[in-house]
Amino acid sequence: MKNQTNFITHVFLALTLTALSWNSLAQETREHQDLTVIVRGSTAGPDIIFIPGLTSHWTTFEDVCAALEDSYRCHLVQLPGFAGYEPMQSLEDGFLRPLRDQLVSYLDTLPGAVTLVGHSLGGTLAIDVAAVQPKLISRLVLVDALPFLPVVQNPAATSELMQPMAAQMRSVIIAQSREEFDARVPMNIMGLTRSAGYNEVLLEWGLATDQVTLAHAMYDLQTLDLRPDLERIEAPALILGAWAAYESYGATEATTRTTFEQSYRQLSDKTIKMSERGYHFLMWDDPVWLIDSLRHFMERN
């Protein structure tokens, strides 16, 4: 009888531990103002916020989250108007700055400082959040993102110089028919990933993106210069760059690294690493390198 009781006890404990493990890795969806956030991973782990880029879906960082969710709690952010999600209630104040404030508001609901990971436009948002509320960020990870995008084509670019061209671009995009808008999507995604399969995914996301949202997001990316704000960031930063997609245009790893180093000159605590062959979506093209770099950075800091 005693052995039977012990057996039942062991089975009960095993089932309980299995249930606790399942619950710790459960998924939930949170709606926060214009943001949708998918939360996965260990409920006891430190929080990591993942912000995808232009026209992107929250699943951009899904595989990265899967590699970390045993020890961390992932918050996979979906930005409004992209990849089939509802657009913002209002774009009167632009796209990026209202979302920055909404992200800060979301971070205020979490128990402590977080690791903030942003890709491309999501990196721009991450920089802005870390600059305006440095105490909320324990680590900052920027995946192929710059504090002022136009310097890629013109190192002398300024916000004032870019505003007329950006405003014209915004007006043109808004005035296009949906057919005209959709026809440009295949051109817009060229060179973003080495994978033909993921190119199909990017095409689907682009075709499902709200046209007016894209116009305002592009304007903000062309005119928002965050370089002067970098000195306000207190968290250590890991910056992961890509260059190989632009090799045919004369780019090299060295010249691209120089662009990153000059752009982030005012960021005090930073580590810059360049992928050997990955394109813009490094989480797809160079996943082992990206995940290892992220894990090492988090453990070291």
Side-chain angles (χ1 to χ4, degrees), residues 99-287:
L99 288 182
R100 177 202 66 182
D101 295 341
Q102 291 186 30
L103 281 165
V104 168
S105 174
Y106 181 75
L107 296 186
D108 280 334
T109 70
L110 302 179
V114 306
T115 298
L116 195 55
V117 183
H119 174 239
S120 194
L121 174 144
T124 302
L125 273 170
I127 293 169
D128 210 6
V129 170
V132 75
Q133 288 291 346
K135 300 300 182 185
L136 296 180
I137 311 303
S138 59
R139 309 175 194 87
L140 180 64
V141 181
L142 305 170
V143 182
D144 212 26
L146 290 170
F148 188 45
L149 184 60
V151 297
V152 172
Q153 294 182 320
N154 178 11
T158 64
S159 180
E160 292 74 16
L161 181 66
M162 295 302 301
Q163 281 176 0
M165 291 178 285
Q168 183 180 15
M169 175 188 63
R170 179 178 58 188
S171 299
V172 168
I173 295 174
I174 292 173
Q176 288 176 332
S177 67
R178 187 66 206 197
E179 290 75 17
E180 291 171 329
F181 178 83
D182 288 348
R184 293 197 61 83
V185 172
M187 292 178 278
N188 294 338
I189 66 172
M190 286 180 61
L192 296 182
T193 176
R194 299 173 65 93
S195 165
Y198 278 123
N199 267 313
E200 292 299 316
V201 172
L202 291 176
L203 180 62
E204 291 178 10
W205 293 353
L207 293 173
T209 289
D210 178 67
Q211 186 169 335
V212 177
T213 298
L214 180 70
H216 283 274
M218 290 289 291
Y219 173 85
D220 287 353
L221 277 176
Q222 293 294 317
T223 58
L224 184 60
D225 186 355
L226 294 173
R227 289 175 296 180
D229 299 326
L230 292 173
E231 61 185 16
R232 295 161 53 192
I233 294 175
E234 300 176 4
L238 172 64
I239 301 159
L240 304 176
W243 67 274
Y246 316 108
E247 191 171 13
S248 60
Y249 297 98
T252 66
E253 181 177 347
T255 59
T256 307
R257 176 183 288 275
T258 297
T259 298
F260 275 81
E261 290 174 345
Q262 291 177 347
S263 294
Y264 287 104
R265 186 171 59 252
Q266 292 173 272
L267 188 60
S268 58
D269 188 352
K270 60 182 177 292
T271 300
I272 298 175
K273 300 180 66 176
M274 306 300 296
S275 170
E276 289 188 8
R277 300 303 303 171
Y279 287 9
H280 185 54
F281 277 80
L282 290 170
M283 65 290 295
W284 297 342
D285 290 354
D286 205 351

Side-chain angles (χ1 to χ4, degrees), residues 57-78:
H57 194 272
W58 63 265
T59 51
T60 297
F61 281 108
E62 192 169 31
D63 291 344
V64 180
C65 171
L68 301 172
E69 63 184 355
D70 284 347
S71 302
Y72 298 92
R73 183 167 63 160
C74 305
H75 301 253
L76 298 154
V77 175
Q78 176 62 55

